[in-house]
Amino acid sequence: MTSTAAPPAEATAPAQESPQAPRQGDRHARRFGLPVAVCLVMGNVIGGGIFLLPASVAPFGTISLLAFAVLTLGAIALALVFGRLAQRHPQTGGPYVYVRAAFGDFAGFLAAYSYWMTAWVSNAALAVASVGYLAVLFPAVGEHRWSMCLAALAVQWLPALSNMAGTRYVGAVQVVATVLKLVPLLLVAVGGLFFFDPANLGPFQANDQSPVGAVSASAAILLFSYIGVESAAVSAGEVRDPARNVGRATVLGTIGAATVYLLGTLSVFGLVAHDKLVSSQAPFTDAVNVMFGGGWGGTLVACAAVVSMLGALNGWTLLSAQTPYAAAKDGLFPKAFEKKQRGVPVVGVVVTVVLASALTVYNYTAGSAAVFESLVLITTFTATVPYLLSTAAQLYFLASGQGERVRRGQLVRDAVLAGAAFAFSMWLVAGSGYAAVYQGVLFLFAGVLVYALMAARKRRAAGTAAE
């Protein structure tokens, strides 16, 4: 291809991050190296859901492992596409930056808005989910709804305070949390293979569905296990040598998380009898008890789950502030979100944790579990919107023959990867369900009013500057 398509007229070049390290005098700000970036991806992908996944897919039989394998390939394709996009646009913001460069301000805003909304609602959900595990360790937490509410708020604000202390501490917390939660998971995932009993696996297909139907049904449960693969791309501005390290961290982190998922699920299948696993409320606890006997498995898994969720909240709190920060630099989010201290967009962190806290309090005071669950379900759709738009942006860059963005010798490979990642993203959207897609679209379109106001302010500012 020889022609070069011009970018949409309404889009200007994405705001550039300074390639230099943080100010020498700012000892609280530090760019992430490759190991920390990998931990950021793994920590955000592996939240608390892994501790229930084996029991969730057990009713379908071991055919669910096939669905896991297919999803893993799709997630790796998506990770590779994000790596390619980060090489071309190594700035903070991830999907927002790529989508805006390809399709203009409006599409970029939708990517940023949907990602931001997903982050703070999901943070509230993760904090509420962690209360059940905290109650295992501290029974008093679960005795009253207000004690549960305060525990959920504490779980949100501790990672927020870690973020506001600076990127240096965010990285340290992420590494420690990832290591601590991987120890018990790997204990089951790897150690469990030595206690593996094929008789526990149960049937390959445990229901009357067709093989394709069983794979699709189990995939619908597993689909969102890989949300977070974009974590390094979103924080590219805080990663050293992002053109090189973001892609590596994204792929390595995704493969690491996939390995833990697959081995962990397989080991639990072989440790816990199928008829017991189907009704298990704590499959990893049951697996540890089979391996070593005794009743200490519950405490171990509860500790691992709390650490896992705190680590995920630490990473997601940073990501929830990075995308609005990038959009604010381009005039598409309020300017306050552009403010950084110690390498962290502090206003974005504070606004995110306040909104998540408000939703948490509402959940406990109004007794609105159904409303809260509906909001969480909607975010499973909104989380996929930036994926779909990002893969479409990569296809646009490839198809338009933009020489500065496409390495000609890798054109075919990149096109195949982008096509596979686009199909994976569409599968994620379909797996959200009709209700989530319908309500999620309404949530997205509510953001159009915000875009209208910000775009008008941006145009007025440009007109004033021209005068």
Side-chain angles (χ1 to χ4, degrees), residues 253-273:
T254 302
I255 292 175
T259 301
V260 173
Y261 279 153
L262 289 167
L263 286 181
T265 303
L266 178 62
S267 292
V268 173
F269 272 26
L271 287 168
V272 184

Side-chain angles (χ1 to χ4, degrees), residues 83 87 99 142 147 190 214 227 238-239 253-254 262 279 310 327 343 400 421 443 448:
Q87 285 180 347
V99 173
S147 60
V190 178
I227 288 178
E238 278 61 57
V239 177
T254 302
L262 289 167
S279 58
L310 283 172
S400 61
F443 259 68
V448 173

Side-chain angles (χ1 to χ4, degrees), residues 88-104:
R88 301 174 187 118
H89 295 288
Q91 296 94 39
T92 293
Y96 160 74
V97 173
Y98 318 141
V99 173
R100 180 172 177 266
F103 307 125

Side-chain angles (χ1 to χ4, degrees), residues 2 23 28 48 54 56 63 65 75 164 177 195 211 275 280 331 333 350 375:
T2 56
R23 295 191 309 271
H28 301 287
S56 299
I63 195 173
L65 295 175
M164 287 186 281
F195 298 86
D275 56 346
S280 175
F333 254 62
V350 171
L375 287 172

Side-chain angles (χ1 to χ4, degrees), residues 68-274:
F68 232 142
V70 173
L71 289 172
T72 298
L73 293 176
I76 291 174
L78 187 61
L80 289 168
V81 169
F82 274 120
R84 289 289 182 208
L85 289 167
Q87 285 180 347
R88 301 174 187 118
H89 295 288
Q91 296 94 39
T92 293
Y96 160 74
V97 173
Y98 318 141
V99 173
R100 180 172 177 266
F103 307 125
D105 283 355
F106 182 61
F109 171 82
L110 287 181
Y113 176 78
S114 61
Y115 195 84
W116 177 63
M117 185 176 67
T118 297
W120 64 264
V121 177
S122 297
N123 281 3
L126 200 58
V128 170
S130 70
V131 172
Y133 292 104
L134 280 172
V136 174
L137 303 174
F138 309 101
V141 169
E143 291 180 356
H144 192 274
R145 67 177 182 178
W146 283 114
S147 60
M148 296 169 67
C149 181
L150 289 174
L153 292 175
V155 167
Q156 291 176 56
W157 279 92
L158 285 175
L161 292 174
S162 167
N163 271 261
M164 287 186 281
T167 51
R168 176 180 182 178
Y169 302 100
V170 174
V173 170
Q174 201 64 29
V175 171
V176 172
T178 301
V179 171
L180 288 178
K181 73 178 171 184
L182 282 180
V183 169
L185 290 175
L186 289 174
L187 174 66
V188 175
V190 178
L193 297 178
F194 295 96
F195 298 86
F196 193 90
D197 184 357
N200 289 329
L201 289 176
F204 177 70
Q205 193 172 336
N207 55 31
D208 297 330
Q209 290 179 293
S210 66
V212 173
V215 170
S216 298
S218 54
I221 297 174
L222 300 169
L223 276 173
F224 306 102
S225 302
Y226 287 108
I227 288 178
V229 298
E230 75 291 342
S231 300
V234 174
S235 297
E238 278 61 57
V239 177
R240 288 197 295 269
D241 192 6
R244 181 181 183 184
N245 285 334
V246 166
R248 291 183 173 187
T250 302
V251 173
L252 291 174
T254 302
I255 292 175
T259 301
V260 173
Y261 279 153
L262 289 167
L263 286 181
T265 303
L266 178 62
S267 292
V268 173
F269 272 26
L271 287 168
V272 184
H274 181 261

Side-chain angles (χ1 to χ4, degrees), residues 303-324:
C303 288
V306 171
V307 170
S308 180
M309 291 182 180
L310 283 172
L313 280 166
N314 182 64
W316 276 107
T317 299
L318 176 64
L319 297 191
S320 67
Q322 297 286 26
T323 298

Side-chain angles (χ1 to χ4, degrees), residues 287-300:
V288 171
N289 287 338
V290 169
M291 292 169 63
F292 303 109
W296 55 272
T299 302
L300 176 67

